[in-house]
Amino acid sequence: MPRLEASDGRKLFYLDEGQGPVVLCLAGLTRNRRDFDAVAARLTDRFRVLRLDSRGRGGSERALDPAAEYDLMVETGDALHLLDTLGIARAAVIGTSRGGLLAGLMASLRPGLLGAVAVNDIGPRVEMAGLRRIAGYVGGGPAATFQTAAEGFRSANEDRFPGIPLSRWLTHAHATYDDDGGRPVFAYDPALAEVTRAGVEGQAGDHIDASAAFAGLAATPLLVIRGARSDILSADTAQAMVAGRDDAAVVEVADRGHAPFLDEPEVVAALDPFLDRYAAP
């Protein structure tokens, strides 16, 4: 099990698979490497795919000081430290939600490091309606079984993810939770919920301005993946991110909210050729 020691001693888990140009996968707020299982299965025949569990998620060690450590700049530093430790001078990034913010900050801190970035349902204007919804459920108790967890996901998300079969939600449940003898348990530090709610409660207005996190992507080939029913990334914001650029595009995924699974046909048709074109050194 490969582990990275962060600058403060925290042990971070990552997967390193395949050979070729490097693609680093960064998951969302409480998510982990398993969200990229389908992506890795498609790409490892021609790319070296790295999947990092941010601190407190998946197999990575939990924070000693959650308010200080579950921070965008700290997590960005962890991702950069992984690339430095492995001697990687050029990489592409696929970042879902919070992972997309980390990608933007990486590009700002290390110009020229990222050859291409695909962001999954995140942008420089983050809608508060979606953030408040997320803050409301993060940290809620897991279900008694994976089957009931899948049923709960389907019920709670029917308006944003209509028509998703229960079997797909079961896959999602196994990616979301760890398996403790058949019982789902959090695959993230519950303290993340407290940090998240504190951050959301301190915000006024209908959105958060995250433009500083995306400034470094102005000169980086960019693919914006958006769920057509997203309450985090608006259609107008997504289009503004790529306006006037020949090296940037938006793919909108029908019947998906925040955030698409990345196994949808529209995503495969856009993401894989994007990486083939831009990810190579």
Side-chain angles (χ1 to χ4, degrees), residues 72 101 105 122-128 131 203-215 232 237:
L72 286 171
L101 297 175
L105 290 168
I122 194 69
R125 175 184 166 117
V126 185
E127 302 299 326
M128 283 303 302
L131 288 178
Q203 298 294 331
D206 61 359
H207 74 281
I208 289 178
D209 182 358
S211 56
F214 283 85
I232 289 287
T237 297

Side-chain angles (χ1 to χ4, degrees), residues 233-250:
L233 177 64
S234 73
D236 288 346
T237 297
Q239 291 298 328
M241 293 169 71
V242 305
R245 296 184 55 173
D246 295 331
D247 63 349
V250 174

Side-chain angles (χ1 to χ4, degrees), residues 16-24 46-50 86 88:
D16 185 349
E17 304 165 295
Q19 294 183 342
V22 174
V23 177
L24 172 63
R46 61 195 189 280
F47 292 101
R48 181 182 179 184
V49 180
L50 301 176
L86 297 178
I88 294 167

Side-chain angles (χ1 to χ4, degrees), residues 11 65 81 136 157 186 191 201 211 225 264:
K11 302 298 191 299
D65 184 353
H81 183 51
N157 291 283
F186 284 129
E201 288 169 1
S211 56
I225 300 165
E264 297 87 354

Side-chain angles (χ1 to χ4, degrees), residues 136-219:
Y137 73 72
V138 170
T145 69
F146 280 97
Q147 181 72 16
T148 54
E151 292 167 355
F153 280 132
R154 182 173 63 178
S155 176
N157 291 283
E158 184 60 30
D159 57 337
R160 291 177 300 278
F161 290 79
I164 303 296
L166 187 61
S167 59
R168 184 61 185 82
W169 286 121
L170 187 59
T171 298
H172 186 71
H174 281 283
T176 302
Y177 299 113
D178 287 332
D179 189 335
D180 181 16
R183 181 175 65 91
V185 296
F186 284 129
Y188 64 88
D189 184 353
L192 270 168
E194 301 169 22
V195 175
T196 300
R197 280 192 286 271
V200 170
E201 288 169 1
Q203 298 294 331
D206 61 359
H207 74 281
I208 289 178
D209 182 358
S211 56
F214 283 85
L217 298 180

Side-chain angles (χ1 to χ4, degrees), residues 9 30 34 52 58 60-61 63 74 89 94 102 154 159 162 174 184 220-221 275 279:
T30 62
R34 293 190 291 259
L52 175 65
S60 291
E61 192 175 11
V74 172
I94 305 171
L102 300 183
R154 182 173 63 178
D159 57 337
H174 281 283
T220 304
L275 294 172

